[in-house]
Amino acid sequence: RAGLGEYAFPVLIVNGMQPGPRLCIIAGVHGDEYEGMEAVRRVLHHTDPATLRGAVVGIPCVNLAAFETATRSSGIDGLNLNRIFPGDATGSLSLRLAATFLRTVIREVDALLDLHTGGGFGEIAPITIVQSGYETLALGLGQAIGHELLWMGGKWGGTARISALEAGKAAVTVEVGGGGGCRDETIAAHVDGVRSAMRYLGMIAGTPTMRQEYRIVSGTFDRATSGGFFLGRARPGGECGAGQTVGVIVDPFGDERQIIDAPHDGLVLWIRRRASIQPGEETVIFGRVERVITS
Amino acid sequence: RAGLGEYAFPVLIVNGMQPGPRLCIIAGVHGDEYEGMEAVRRVLHHTDPATLRGAVVGIPCVNLAAFETATRSSGIDGLNLNRIFPGDATGSLSLRLAATFLRTVIREVDALLDLHTGGGFGEIAPITIVQSGYETLALGLGQAIGHELLWMGGKWGGTARISALEAGKAAVTVEVGGGGGCRDETIAAHVDGVRSAMRYLGMIAGTPTMRQEYRIVSGTFDRATSGGFFLGRARPGGECGAGQTVGVIVDPFGDERQIIDAPHDGLVLWIRRRASIQPGEETVIFGRVERVITS
């Protein structure tokens, strides 16, 4: 932070001794998703320029204002940085952040990995989001992360991923873990995914963690119709059958206000971990397996 | 909630068919500590009036305003309900809550269990807080919770526990878990502790979980001298030796700003799980074993 009213984002760069692609790895678009931030630092600190092909640009925390308040959205202008790309260089802080990131970083690189977790609100299965319509550009990179689930939907706009894809760069969002805190196993999962992607891009030695099969999923957001106390009865990544109860909302006395049943056979992609819930807030993201593909 | 500008707290009562003590169990003094809230409901819903001696008064969530915003302190007046007892019936919402709780509930009961967790900020070892100076009134009840660690310090004032003790009621605070979400094992630990206390008080059949030995601990709060990203390297309840590194604060680039070493041989009572930290905030609560007692 430069001073009152001025925010910057930290940039770590490892320039390889060999030519190769330029990969950008970011985390902290949401301020309460800690594991990606530490994963970016670990990857950058442990990448040896002597053997690296190309360059790695790591931004451990894009949204320092949201990190400082441990919130998903910015406490300064109330905006969710993951919904406002390409931003606006003359707008409020979050809009300027988005515009600055595109202008100064994305323009200079060939590929983007945007690391997320479920944050304070929920816990998510290991899943890589590949934007529908950009499979040629991003599917291989998404597969190389190594998570079996590929979410092809992602129709919501305003992400760094979409802006990068529109600029012709390979870009995926990687999701894993969450539910509060900064968990070692989630940091490790992100580090493994990034390293595998670097192998896929030929930047470091080794073979990427390509699976024989990937499940392509779409997601449906279930939203609360009642406020109250949410009790989850499923784990992210777990299978669920149509009609299976995966959560319940009770009032302060414990009486049931809403029962959340799976709308179809499939799996739980994300489940709420913050117990307090208001009408309209997300309870569960259900995944439907649309097809299985091979690498 | 009665309406705009009016908050109530939910009260569940099970009146036993047999005479006996009146026990009050509360949770949700802090709005982001979910497991105690569910534990209170479970105990009340599963207590059979036909076999109960005395009465159980359960308040699943004292501070609904803080629960709704999932915050430790109230979003309405910014006060931490655990620091302002006995409150003020003519003050702001949190002060009125405290005063109302003492006047309408504590005056009518014989004993109080105040269930807490580490909440969103940190994770705590299973520990029962028995106020120094009130051992005659509360030590047996505290031992009956079943946690091996008894924290006798608790010099900070303004808790419901202190107000209840000053009114001549047996009262302890029970801490376990935290770190985000609503975890089944933490709910179960609170339910087990409450049931054991009810056995100790002769309210339900069975023998309380008395241990042969308890460790009496005092606690020291370590506070950050630098802001940044806190990485914990210890688990609550774990032993630590003098000089052992239990956490580190790094800047956004990953450079070390502060290393937190154990000040003495002892154990980690609480460790921060929220990674973002500002100078002056708590990193770790270290426990020193003052003595071992038998039940």
Side-chain angles (χ1 to χ4, degrees):
Chain A
R1 182 154 27 147
L4 282 175
E6 293 186 22
Y7 272 84
F9 48 76
V11 181
L12 289 159
I13 298 176
V14 179
N15 271 310
M17 304 267 293
Q18 322 287 332
R22 287 160 299 179
L23 171 67
C24 177
I25 316 163
I26 65 172
V29 166
H30 293 133
D32 63 341
E33 302 178 3
Y34 299 123
E35 291 91 340
M37 306 181 201
E38 182 60 13
V40 171
R41 287 189 283 262
R42 286 200 194 167
V43 168
L44 269 288
H45 289 191
H46 292 96
T47 296
D48 182 358
T51 54
L52 179 68
R53 296 188 191 87
V56 188
V57 178
I59 302 181
C61 187
V62 176
N63 196 347
L64 281 174
F67 167 73
E68 288 187 356
T69 52
T71 50
R72 184 171 173 80
S73 295
S74 173
I76 291 182
D77 57 14
L79 294 176
N80 178 346
L81 183 58
N82 211 35
R83 297 288 180 277
I84 60 168
F85 275 89
D88 178 351
T90 62
S92 66
L93 178 65
S94 302
L95 292 160
R96 283 171 196 241
L97 259 180
T100 301
F101 173 70
L102 290 183
R103 191 183 73 245
T104 61
V105 180
I106 288 300
R107 205 163 64 180
E108 307 295 333
V109 300
D110 304 302
L112 171 69
L113 303 178
D114 185 3
L115 309 186
H116 284 249
T117 78
F121 278 78
E123 192 177 347
I124 193 160
I127 193 163
T128 305
I129 306 179
V130 179
Q131 196 75 29
S132 290
Y134 291 93
E135 288 85 347
T136 308
L137 200 52
L139 183 58
L141 182 65
Q143 290 174 325
I145 296 294
H147 299 321
E148 187 221 350
L149 300 176
L150 300 178
W151 191 347
M152 304 293 284
K155 285 189 169 43
W156 57 86
T159 61
R161 176 183 75 247
I162 293 180
S163 283
L165 289 164
E166 287 173 346
K169 323 287 184 174
V172 297
T173 301
V174 189
E175 298 269 9
V176 57
C182 182
R183 304 184 195 198
D184 288 335
E185 63 271 25
T186 304
I187 298 170
H190 269 321
V191 168
D192 288 348
V194 170
R195 291 225 172 103
S196 182
M198 290 172 70
R199 290 187 196 104
Y200 171 79
L201 295 170
M203 302 175 73
I204 57 174
T207 311
T209 317
M210 285 292 188
R211 290 172 185 262
Q212 286 207 302
E213 293 190 341
Y214 295 86
R215 285 191 286 176
I216 303 289
V217 296
S218 59
T220 307
F221 290 71
D222 182 87
R223 293 178 191 281
T225 54
S226 295
F229 190 102
F230 178 81
L231 275 162
R233 291 183 182 162
R235 61 173 188 81
E239 312 283 329
C240 60
Q244 183 185 326
T245 297
V246 297
V248 59
I249 297 173
V250 299
D251 71 14
F253 299 98
D255 293 327
E256 283 176 1
R257 282 185 174 169
Q258 186 184 345
I259 295 169
I260 295 103
D261 294 334
H264 52 68
D265 291 346
L267 65 164
V268 171
L269 298 184
W270 177 95
I271 188 160
R272 187 178 190 86
R273 294 297 185 209
R274 173 175 146 155
S276 61
I277 191 164
Q278 301 285 345
E281 287 192 315
E282 291 147 17
T283 60
V284 178
I285 304 177
F286 291 103
R288 186 196 290 277
V289 180
E290 301 291 348
R291 62 188 191 281
V292 174
I293 62 171
T294 53
S295 64
Chain B
R1 179 148 39 143
L4 282 175
E6 294 187 21
Y7 273 84
F9 49 76
V11 181
L12 288 159
I13 299 177
V14 178
N15 270 310
M17 305 269 289
Q18 321 286 332
R22 288 160 298 179
L23 172 66
C24 177
I25 315 163
I26 66 172
V29 167
H30 293 132
D32 63 341
E33 302 179 3
Y34 300 123
E35 290 91 341
M37 306 183 200
E38 181 60 14
V40 171
R41 288 190 283 262
R42 288 201 193 165
V43 168
L44 270 287
H45 288 191
H46 292 95
T47 297
D48 182 359
T51 54
L52 180 67
R53 296 189 190 88
V56 187
V57 178
I59 302 181
C61 186
V62 176
N63 196 346
L64 281 175
F67 168 73
E68 288 187 356
T69 51
T71 49
R72 183 171 172 81
S73 295
S74 173
I76 290 182
D77 57 15
L79 294 176
N80 178 345
L81 183 58
N82 212 36
R83 298 288 181 275
I84 60 168
F85 275 89
D88 178 351
T90 62
S92 67
L93 178 65
S94 302
L95 292 160
R96 283 170 196 242
L97 259 180
T100 302
F101 173 71
L102 289 183
R103 192 183 72 246
T104 62
V105 180
I106 288 300
R107 205 162 64 178
E108 307 295 333
V109 300
D110 304 302
L112 171 70
L113 304 178
D114 185 3
L115 309 186
H116 284 249
T117 78
F121 277 78
E123 192 177 348
I124 192 160
I127 193 163
T128 305
I129 306 179
V130 179
Q131 196 73 29
S132 290
Y134 292 94
E135 288 86 347
T136 308
L137 201 53
L139 182 59
L141 182 65
Q143 290 175 325
I145 296 293
H147 299 320
E148 188 222 351
L149 299 175
L150 300 177
W151 192 347
M152 304 294 286
K155 285 187 167 47
W156 55 89
T159 62
R161 176 183 76 246
I162 293 179
S163 283
L165 289 164
E166 287 172 347
K169 323 287 184 173
V172 297
T173 300
V174 188
E175 299 270 9
V176 56
C182 182
R183 305 183 194 196
D184 288 336
E185 64 272 24
T186 305
I187 298 171
H190 268 321
V191 168
D192 289 349
V194 170
R195 290 222 172 103
S196 182
M198 290 172 70
R199 291 188 196 103
Y200 171 80
L201 294 170
M203 302 175 73
I204 57 175
T207 310
T209 317
M210 286 291 190
R211 291 173 184 260
Q212 287 207 301
E213 292 190 341
Y214 295 86
R215 285 190 286 176
I216 304 289
V217 295
S218 59
T220 308
F221 291 70
D222 182 88
R223 294 179 191 280
T225 54
S226 295
F229 190 101
F230 177 80
L231 275 162
R233 292 184 183 161
R235 61 172 189 80
E239 311 283 328
C240 60
Q244 184 185 326
T245 297
V246 296
V248 59
I249 297 172
V250 299
D251 71 13
F253 299 98
D255 292 327
E256 283 176 0
R257 281 185 174 169
Q258 186 184 345
I259 295 168
I260 295 102
D261 294 334
H264 51 69
D265 290 347
L267 65 167
V268 170
L269 298 184
W270 176 95
I271 188 160
R272 187 177 190 87
R273 293 300 185 208
R274 173 174 147 157
S276 61
I277 192 164
Q278 302 285 345
E281 287 193 316
E282 289 146 19
T283 59
V284 177
I285 304 177
F286 291 102
R288 185 196 292 275
V289 180
E290 301 291 349
R291 61 188 191 280
V292 174
I293 63 170
T294 54
S295 63

